Amino acid sequence: MAGEAGIGKTRLVGDLEVLARERGFVVLHGESVEFGGDELPYAPVVAALRDLPEDWAAEALEALPREARDELGALLPRALAPSEAPARFSGRFGQGRLYELLLDLLDRLASEVAPVLLVLEDVHWADRSSRDLLAFLARNLRAERVAVVATYRTDELEEAHPLRRLVPELVRRNTVVRVGLTPLTAAEVAQQLEAIAGRPVPVSVAERLHARAGGNPFFVEELLAAGGAGGELVPDTLAEAVLVRVQRLDRAGQELLGVVAAAGGRVDHDVLERVAGDLDIPAALRAGLDAHILVRERGDRGVAFRHGLLGEVVYDRLLPQERRRMHRAIAAALTEAPDASPAQLAHQWHRAGEAADALRASVAAGLEASRLYAFAEARVHLERALDLWDAVTPAAGSLPVDRVELLARAAQAARFAGDPQRAITLCEEALDRLDHAEEPVRASLLYERLGEFHFWDDATALDCYRQALRLLPDGAEPERARLRAAEGHALMGLRQWEESRACCEAALVVAADVGVPGAEIGARTTLGLVLGFLGDPEAGERHLRDALATAEALGAGEDAVRAYLLLGELLRLRGDHAGALAVMERGEEGAARVGMRGSFGNFMKVNGADDLVRLGRWDEARARLEEARRMDLGPTSAVMHLTISGHLHALRGEGEEARADLSRALELAADGLPSEFVTPLRGAWAALCLTAGEAEEARRHVEEALAGVGEATDPLYTPVLHALGVRAEAELAELARGLRRDEDLAAAQERARGLVADLDTLLAPWQGRAAPPDALANAALARAELSRVEGVRDPEAWQAAAERWEALGEPHPAAYARLRHAEALLPAGGDRVAAGRELAVAHAVAAGLGATPLREQAGQLARRARLPLEAPPAAEPRAQDGPARLGLTPREAEVLGLLADGLTNREIAVRLFISQKTVSAHLAHIFDKLDVHSRVEAAGRAHQLGMAGGSG
């Protein structure tokens, strides 16, 4: 709900809440704080959750696992004591887990108690974590009995305000409605005034108030109150109107309003009593309430300004000395309050100008926000503490962290707040300030963290891990086990399989000596996939399943879902896409159980869609992709989702949709994703271009993908690029033949031979080992496509490729290979019965999949060759073949087929072991029998007869 300040958002929401309660809803109401609200993690959410039904909440929370209760304690401090235990999940995924837990709690409340209305007011003042949670709910809310209403001021959104980006994104969702409130007309202002005064108001007053208030109902009300019911002295501005009303109060009343304004627009009674000193609080409060400047807070916990604008005017009126005095008094009162947050204290001490107290509170607030996964807010507090450090120069041991640790914590907050470059800078500064010789373990751990910050740069991360290992002294074996596993993981990312294996095995040895439960999980998980790439997938699968069992037994949820992901990858390496899909489905369930649906769970949902596409279950894949489209996908998941969706559109002939998805994926991937995400994206583009007859563009995408991969090739993602590349060259070679462009033909042949040779080199280390079936199928396809490039019919190559894909249970590439097999069988003298059978199978599979381009291609070939598609054709007498009916001899039919393929007389002579003179004689007879006068006309008739393709 959007509108300028005073337009009536709060009034309308209040009426909505009354109506909801009358209809049996549970209403949860939270408001953002104006002053310092962006520093208070989850402030409106925590306030809203205070309204949870107490008995139900106690029972529901008691049923949760202990670690889940610990996490939710951040948002339910009155129902659960916030845990002091270390977070069980890494910062990278912890916030998503917290959001998942809250989402599940709301779902349960709606299903077990009553429909839920969650109201978050003034989110233009909200902290980033609250905004992120709002976006998460909009994308993921599943219960139909939960409604969320968020209000914000349109006049508070400067150009860089994050809501300017968030709101348009949310309103594109069909579950989100934007309600915009507009100013009242002059007639409506007259109605408002009459309702307030209880009698008609002179038209002149209504017109003046409408003009000065701009139709804003709150401004109208304030101006009227300041000028009297008759409107004789209507102030010119809202500020003047508010000040007129404030100045009607005595000194105590005005002082109390200043305290409420300095406290952020609302204050609890106990804090107010500590701050007010010798003021007559009841009398001052009564005056503010009677003047309609203050209102009682929900549950009578305190008081607040009736509207935020009132607080803004009062605060602006305070002198700097008054502000500092009030902030100092509020901070001192909050120090004694049992439930005051460190963030509140940090804000008040900072506004009071008390550097030492502000430093202490900022450190505490930053550490607490980090524990709550509110990293944007943590970063604000920790970097403020860094700014204050030199001004204060705290005594050693007076704070829970020293300067180096503060830098390290700030770096971590910046990393998870989405600023990895700032994280790297802060971590490097921490390392520069640390004496590595005096504190080698600490320096080692900082290098480990620096390696984590280079998440997508495996080479730099590897250098960091190795530097950490060099610094690590004897006896630090738990750290050594973890670092060797991290080293192995970075080496895996660089495709240095043997080195990765050695690191992981060394980590397992150290982990066994340490005796810490679960210390081996990370190393075993990486080792499992590495062994698969080294040709021992059976051993790799054992390691991965052991790691998964250990993680689940220990309740190590993040380790378990990582194991699910890599196990699925190993099964794909083994060619078992059905098994990989089953693992993805179990992994989704596991991620949901531990509150990681929004991170790992969504990723696995998308990954499973790719398995469905490969298995030919395209309708299921589309449904899965549509479901995932409504989810909160991270950058890698979003790129993968768009890639798979675009590829499926391309295979189905939906070119416009495919280009839209793949173009968006390229934009998202520009930030620098690993090759295993970019390679499928470029491959999908190449497939789309080939479908659209854009072989040059297909070749470009393949070349860019291979250039991006560089030496980091692997047998799972790279071979498909080679197969697509050779197919593009085959299309270009056939075009060059038809146009007699010998140089273009030679270039296509050279490129195709290079792609096949590179693929052979890639697969050479697998000789005698369990080579990935997908890689072998792509290699067979590339070799068959090469026969087209070379102008040589090779039915056996196409049959071998088809059989490879069918053994894998991947129907689309198998049907494509069968179509090419039929094409290779069709030249004069070929087996038309076998060709018809292959063509009928390819057409039927394509029709069943909904693969329109492949189906049409099969239909076109069938028409040219005059073969039925309903059933495999029966054998026909040779005399009834098209060439025979036209009087062509078998040799003349062969010459015509090669001519249609673009071969010159010399090439035909070489191919048929006859002289060029004999070729010329055959062509003369062919021209006479077909009644044509040129090679082009003869080639056209050959295509009509299905005789083209004799050389490829």
Side-chain angles (χ1 to χ4, degrees), residues 781-814:
L781 195 58
R783 282 189 286 272
E785 296 283 9
L786 183 61
S787 72
R788 293 176 62 209
V789 177
E790 303 289 9
V792 179
R793 298 281 183 184
D794 192 348
E796 293 182 359
W798 286 111
Q799 183 175 359
E803 290 172 352
R804 288 275 188 188
W805 289 114
E806 284 170 352
L808 282 168
E810 298 192 35
H812 186 270

Side-chain angles (χ1 to χ4, degrees), residues 508-576:
L508 288 177
V509 171
V510 176
D513 293 339
V514 169
V516 176
E520 83 286 359
I521 294 175
R524 199 176 293 283
T525 301
T526 300
L527 179 61
L529 188 57
V530 166
L531 288 175
F533 280 111
L534 286 172
D536 193 357
E538 292 84 1
E541 187 172 345
R542 287 195 297 273
H543 277 291
L544 277 162
R545 292 195 182 277
D546 286 348
L548 179 57
T550 302
E552 291 188 328
L554 293 173
E558 190 170 331
D559 290 331
V561 291
R562 286 181 188 276
Y564 274 118
L565 269 178
L566 269 64
L567 178 58
E569 201 76 341
L570 181 74
L571 292 174
R572 294 183 188 99
L573 192 65
R574 299 187 69 175
D576 183 6

Side-chain angles (χ1 to χ4, degrees), residues 35 207 221 247 302 306 309 330 350 512 644 655 686 689 741 770 786 895:
F35 301 114
E207 289 177 347
E221 187 174 342
Q247 288 166 357
R306 184 169 62 86
L309 286 171
I330 292 169
H350 180 66
I644 299 167
C689 292
R741 294 177 178 173
L786 183 61
V895 171

Side-chain angles (χ1 to χ4, degrees), residues 566-643:
L566 269 64
L567 178 58
E569 201 76 341
L570 181 74
L571 292 174
R572 294 183 188 99
L573 192 65
R574 299 187 69 175
D576 183 6
H577 289 281
L581 175 62
V583 167
M584 292 300 95
E585 290 171 342
R586 290 199 297 273
E588 283 183 68
E589 296 170 359
R593 283 196 301 273
V594 297
M596 303 192 74
R597 182 189 290 110
S599 49
F600 283 108
N602 291 352
F603 186 91
M604 285 187 273
K605 175 164 290 286
V606 174
N607 225 349
D610 187 51
D611 295 314
L612 287 167
V613 171
R614 290 174 178 269
L615 292 168
R617 294 157 60 178
W618 288 5
D619 289 340
E620 293 178 64
R622 174 161 288 181
R624 195 179 186 91
L625 289 168
E626 282 303 311
E627 187 178 351
R629 194 182 296 274
R630 295 189 292 271
M631 295 177 174
D632 191 10
L633 300 178
T636 53
S637 298
V639 169
M640 188 166 63
H641 177 272
L642 289 165
T643 297

Side-chain angles (χ1 to χ4, degrees), residues 57 84 161 240 266 320 328 333 364 382 454 480 592 605-606 632 658:
E84 298 299 327
H161 198 288
E240 291 175 0
R266 56 181 52 85
R328 192 178 302 115
L382 295 173
H454 290 283
R480 192 180 311 280
K605 175 164 290 286
V606 174
D632 191 10

